[in-house]
Amino acid sequence: MSELMRAMVLEEAGTPLRAAEVPRPEPGPGQVLLRVRACGVCRTDLHVFDGDLPRPKLPLVLGHQIVGVVERVSPEVEEIAPGDRVGVSWLGWTCGSCRYCSTGRENLCERARFTGYDVDGGYAELVVADARYCFPIPPGYPDLQAAPLLCAGLVGYRCLRMAGEAERLGLYGFGGAAHLVAQVALFQGRRVFAFTREGDEEGQAFARELGAEWAGASTDLPPEELDAAILFAPAGELVPLALRAVAAGGIVVCGEIHMSDIPSFPYEILWRERAVRSVANLTRQDGFEFLRLAPEVPVRTKVRAFPLEQANEALETLRAGKVHGALVLVVDETAGAG
Ligand SMILES: [Zn+2]
Ligand SMILES: [Zn+2]
């Protein structure tokens, strides 16, 4: 077997990924080697690609919504065996002993390593991952449909948890994450209001199709007050807009890893116990919970597939917006689609 594998490599932020043959990774202690079947494309990948995030490992293989089949495990690994189909998300490793890790907040671990940022990710034929951070993929989800669950789904689910018991839920930026969160929210008996870029009629129609009772532009006020809003677009100007749309006691949850500056706003729109908070990635508990819940809903993912070699095109498609659903790279041509 060849010692090389195909990968799309980021050599420097702001330059296109390069299709390359690179050495196959070797699993270290506690790690598994996965043959990647499909890998989702996330807005975070675009932020790393653009240099919006400060310290990526370079050269780097992007990608943190990985669906793969275990090819080999290191001797210490007992929970996973060759042939298992597993998923790998952004949270690649945590220290397990810091103040955050020891209080159920491993998502905030200061020594955390992130997949496709601190360590190589899934825009490649093979990837190594820490076995403890691999998730079982629910049976019944084809590879392509499973990939977006691993970030859009998991982080979206954590954002939804932070929205508390909110009945009237606004989703700003109706793309990969929102289309999954909307389904879970409706399943939980909430009412969904969708906000898209102005004039994105197709996006608004897509949201209504999924069960949103109202869809409009992010600059519009919804027909009634919201109890919570989740922002899945990296635009800081949405924060005051969402604050104006939520009722007293409501919360605005920012689900993006990077956002443009939030413009100043009058205290009056925060007053009466409205809150703004961010959500930083996920804990493994979020992951296990969401992946158990997804088939119950059942969450259906709408995906648009690109071959691995077209990763640059996929990233530019995401940048251009108007993606109704999630983007996925097909790494193994035999990967299942639904
Ligand atoms: Zn830690
Ligand atoms: Zn992501």
Side-chain angles (χ1 to χ4, degrees):
M1 213 183 263
S2 143
E3 296 294 303
L4 296 174
M5 66 164 184
R6 292 183 299 135
M8 295 299 288
V9 180
L10 177 70
E11 268 151 6
E12 200 186 326
T15 63
L17 307 183
R18 190 173 63 85
E21 299 267 315
V22 299
R24 293 165 57 115
E26 278 297 313
Q31 290 185 324
V32 298
L33 176 69
L34 304 180
R35 181 159 290 277
V36 180
R37 299 186 63 80
C39 184
V41 176
C42 173
R43 186 171 295 280
T44 298
D45 299 338
L46 196 54
H47 289 310
V48 179
F49 176 78
D50 285 343
D52 292 332
L53 302 182
R55 44 163 189 91
K57 154 196 172 316
L58 289 173
L60 174 71
V61 178
L62 292 169
H64 58 269
Q65 305 187 84
I66 306 168
V67 176
V69 174
V70 178
E71 184 141 305
R72 198 141 51 82
V73 303
S74 70
E76 304 77 16
V77 175
E78 286 172 355
E79 60 272 51
I80 295 178
D84 289 354
R85 189 172 66 134
V86 298
V88 178
S89 78
W90 176 245
L91 190 73
W93 180 89
T94 55
C95 79
S97 57
C98 72
R99 174 184 294 268
Y100 299 111
C101 284
S102 53
T103 52
R105 297 178 294 164
E106 63 183 0
N107 60 314
L108 303 178
C109 175
E110 280 171 356
R111 294 170 60 204
R113 287 186 212 138
F114 300 116
T115 312
Y117 186 57
D118 298 305
V119 296
D120 283 335
Y123 289 14
E125 281 182 294
L126 296 159
V127 67
V128 292
D130 187 309
R132 298 166 301 168
Y133 296 80
C134 292
F135 296 107
I137 298 289
Y141 277 89
D143 302 317
L144 268 67
Q145 271 68 29
L149 300 178
L150 292 159
C151 185
L154 297 191
V155 177
Y157 176 69
R158 184 173 176 85
C159 291
L160 186 59
R161 283 215 293 116
M162 297 305 165
E165 299 296 306
E167 190 206 349
R168 298 165 298 180
L169 179 72
L171 298 174
Y172 284 76
F174 208 86
H179 96 286
L180 304 182
V181 169
Q183 297 174 54
V184 178
L186 291 163
F187 173 76
Q188 293 173 334
R190 304 178 198 248
R191 298 164 58 196
V192 172
F193 299 76
F195 297 82
T196 69
R197 290 185 195 191
E198 216 172 341
D200 183 7
E201 316 256 311
E202 218 180 302
Q204 291 165 13
F206 176 50
R208 279 190 217 99
E209 245 167 69
L210 278 173
E213 67 180 64
W214 177 89
S218 51
T219 46
D220 292 343
L221 277 177
E224 57 185 289
E225 288 185 309
L226 306 173
D227 302 306
I230 305 177
L231 274 46
F232 290 120
E237 65 267 23
L238 293 176
V239 172
L241 287 172
L243 274 172
R244 287 181 196 280
V246 300
I251 186 167
V252 173
V253 179
C254 304
E256 286 288 314
I257 194 168
H258 174 87
M259 214 185 215
S260 57
D261 287 355
I262 301 171
S264 75
F265 54 82
Y267 178 59
E268 179 196 326
I269 64 174
L270 183 64
W271 171 238
R272 300 194 72 218
E273 304 201 338
R274 291 178 182 85
V276 177
R277 75 166 295 161
S278 64
V279 157
N281 60 83
L282 70 144
T283 64
R284 280 172 284 175
Q285 196 194 328
D286 296 321
F288 289 118
E289 264 179 47
F290 175 71
L291 291 169
R292 264 197 307 270
L293 180 63
E296 258 178 65
V297 172
V299 175
R300 302 273 177 229
T301 61
K302 184 176 174 191
V303 304
R304 181 163 162 202
F306 289 79
L308 173 63
E309 280 69 20
Q310 285 178 24
N312 287 303
E313 288 81 348
L315 286 166
E316 292 310 325
T317 302
L318 185 60
R319 185 197 306 284
K322 300 196 173 178
V323 179
H324 306 124
L327 300 178
V328 178
L329 298 179
V330 180
V331 180
D332 183 327
E333 275 123 45
T334 64

